[in-house]
Amino acid sequence: MAGIGFELRRMLRKDTLLGLVQAYAYASVIGSGPWVLSIVGILLIGIFSASVVIPGSLVTQFQTSVTYLVACSLIYTGLVQLAFTRFISDRLFEKRKDMVLPNLHGLLVLVLLGACLLGTAALFIALPGLGLVYRLLMLAGFTLMCGVWVLTVLLSGMKRYKAIVLLFGVSYGLIVVSALLMRPWGLEGLLGGFVLGNYVLLVGMWLLVVREFNPSGPIIAFDFARRAMLYPTLMAIGLLYNLGVWIDKFMFWYFPSTSDAIIGSLRASIIYDLPVFLAYLSIIPGMAVFLVRIETDFVEFYDKFYDAVRGGGSLEYIETMRDEMVYSIQ
């Protein structure tokens, strides 16, 4: 956590109102940047396309399609997000950086292959009878987003918050521009811009990881799949967490009295989706406070506690640092 922590401490050290505002604004962007940029990008595409794409219902179909891509890709990759982060953390602690990139490639192969199979099945179950181009773009979007979430979790574990926000900003800026340029092609044009932007995002994240962990040795490995390194509890937590985030939306989407059919078997709830979006925006200040406190207070005492335990500090000092960690979290 050192990178962002040092930046926040530098801003807070000014001991001015401006420095305080800068620190919390910085933490807001870092803490909630990716998903906020995603939602804002989709909303901008809808706003700018409403007067050009005819009929206007195509914009609603695009936004609903993308929402399902985000939800399903997050739930699916939830199985591996926390477990793989733990695997990478252990390897870095062992000073075995050479294992990171090959195992990332191995995980991406399994995740993307599974996404292709699940996505192909969903095309015939949820989107029967729709155009071939639309269904292929949905499959490509789902597969790409699965890869994006895997790399996002890895980069988050490496505390590359700035890089993540920058990549999401550039990619979703490209999505908005390309979707607007291709909006005369209707729903397929809007979705094509979304797929293009996520392809650029995936490639950019992968290049960032390659730069961090210079390729050496095997190109692909599956060490993370060994029985002793699967961490089934973390796999269950990751899956249930993302399912819990989205399950209420699916309940409103598929309860006839609170939803409308949008495209194929995909439904949306006008009376629920907007309030939930506003509720998510309202938690940004809380996320900023949490990040600032964790990075500036907890990490400082954690580092001292960790160094004391491994370096032979006195029991009194170790207990003091432990208490300070607890107080900062409370």
Side-chain angles (χ1 to χ4, degrees):
M1 296 186 180
I4 181 175
F6 290 147
E7 187 71 16
L8 290 172
R9 292 187 190 106
R10 183 183 64 80
M11 295 177 183
L12 292 174
R13 208 172 288 132
K14 299 176 183 177
D15 198 25
T16 62
L17 180 59
L18 178 60
L20 186 66
V21 171
Q22 286 179 334
Y24 280 97
Y26 179 76
S28 298
V29 174
I30 297 299
S32 58
W35 65 267
V36 168
L37 288 172
S38 304
I39 295 174
V40 171
I42 295 169
L43 288 177
L44 287 176
I45 294 172
I47 292 172
F48 291 135
S49 301
S51 60
V52 177
V53 178
I54 305 296
S57 60
L58 294 181
V59 176
T60 302
Q61 291 177 351
F62 162 75
Q63 293 176 324
T64 301
S65 300
V66 171
T67 300
Y68 275 83
L69 291 180
V70 173
C72 295
S73 60
L74 278 171
I75 293 172
Y76 168 62
T77 56
L79 275 169
V80 300
Q81 289 178 5
L82 295 180
F84 189 67
T85 302
R86 168 65 188 275
F87 171 82
I88 295 300
S89 177
D90 289 345
R91 303 295 77 76
L92 294 179
F93 181 79
E94 296 170 350
K95 310 298 183 184
R96 302 185 65 183
K97 293 179 64 174
D98 59 299
M99 295 182 65
V100 174
L101 196 58
N103 279 279
L104 172 64
H105 290 160
L107 179 65
L108 285 175
V109 167
L110 295 181
V111 168
L112 297 184
L113 180 60
C116 287
L117 295 176
L118 290 174
T120 301
L123 295 184
F124 294 97
I125 298 173
L127 304 172
L130 295 175
L132 178 62
V133 174
Y134 169 76
R135 294 200 288 176
L136 289 177
L137 286 172
M138 286 290 285
L139 177 60
F142 176 67
T143 305
L144 287 171
M145 291 209 74
C146 288
V148 164
W149 297 132
V150 170
L151 287 167
T152 299
V153 171
L154 176 61
L155 291 173
S156 297
M158 294 161 52
K159 310 305 173 189
R160 300 299 296 271
Y161 299 117
K162 278 186 175 180
I164 293 174
V165 173
L166 179 62
L167 283 171
F168 266 85
V170 171
S171 299
Y172 274 84
L174 176 62
I175 288 175
V176 173
V177 172
S178 58
L180 293 178
L181 292 176
M182 293 189 285
R183 60 188 177 180
W185 285 278
L187 177 59
E188 286 77 8
L190 296 175
L191 202 54
F194 180 79
V195 170
L196 174 62
N198 275 280
Y199 172 76
V200 172
L201 178 59
L202 181 65
V203 172
M205 287 183 161
W206 178 78
L207 290 175
L208 194 62
V209 175
V210 171
R211 182 180 177 182
E212 183 79 18
F213 303 98
N214 295 324
S216 61
I219 298 177
I220 188 170
F222 297 94
D223 300 298
F224 64 89
R226 294 177 184 173
R227 185 179 181 85
M229 299 181 178
L230 282 178
Y231 308 111
T233 302
L234 291 178
M235 294 176 68
I237 291 172
L239 174 64
L240 294 175
Y241 170 78
N242 285 294
L243 185 61
V245 168
W246 288 96
I247 192 66
D248 57 307
K249 288 80 170 172
F250 282 104
M251 293 173 66
F252 274 84
W253 291 341
Y254 286 95
F255 188 69
S257 299
T258 59
S259 64
D260 299 290
I262 303 299
I263 181 171
S265 299
L266 307 185
R267 304 176 66 87
S269 175
I270 297 176
I271 65 172
Y272 190 66
D273 293 345
L274 180 59
V276 167
F277 168 66
L278 295 177
Y280 280 149
L281 291 182
S282 72
I283 69 172
I284 293 178
M287 296 172 68
V289 172
F290 179 77
L291 188 61
V292 169
R293 301 300 296 182
I294 288 292
E295 294 288 356
T296 58
D297 293 341
F298 176 79
V299 170
E300 180 179 353
F301 293 120
Y302 167 79
D303 288 339
K304 293 178 180 179
F305 174 82
Y306 183 81
D307 292 339
V309 171
R310 291 180 57 85
S314 68
L315 178 60
E316 180 182 6
Y317 181 78
I318 291 174
E319 290 178 340
T320 300
M321 292 303 103
R322 177 204 62 191
D323 293 340
E324 292 293 344
M325 283 196 295
V326 174
Y327 297 150
S328 65
I329 289 296
Q330 290 176 343

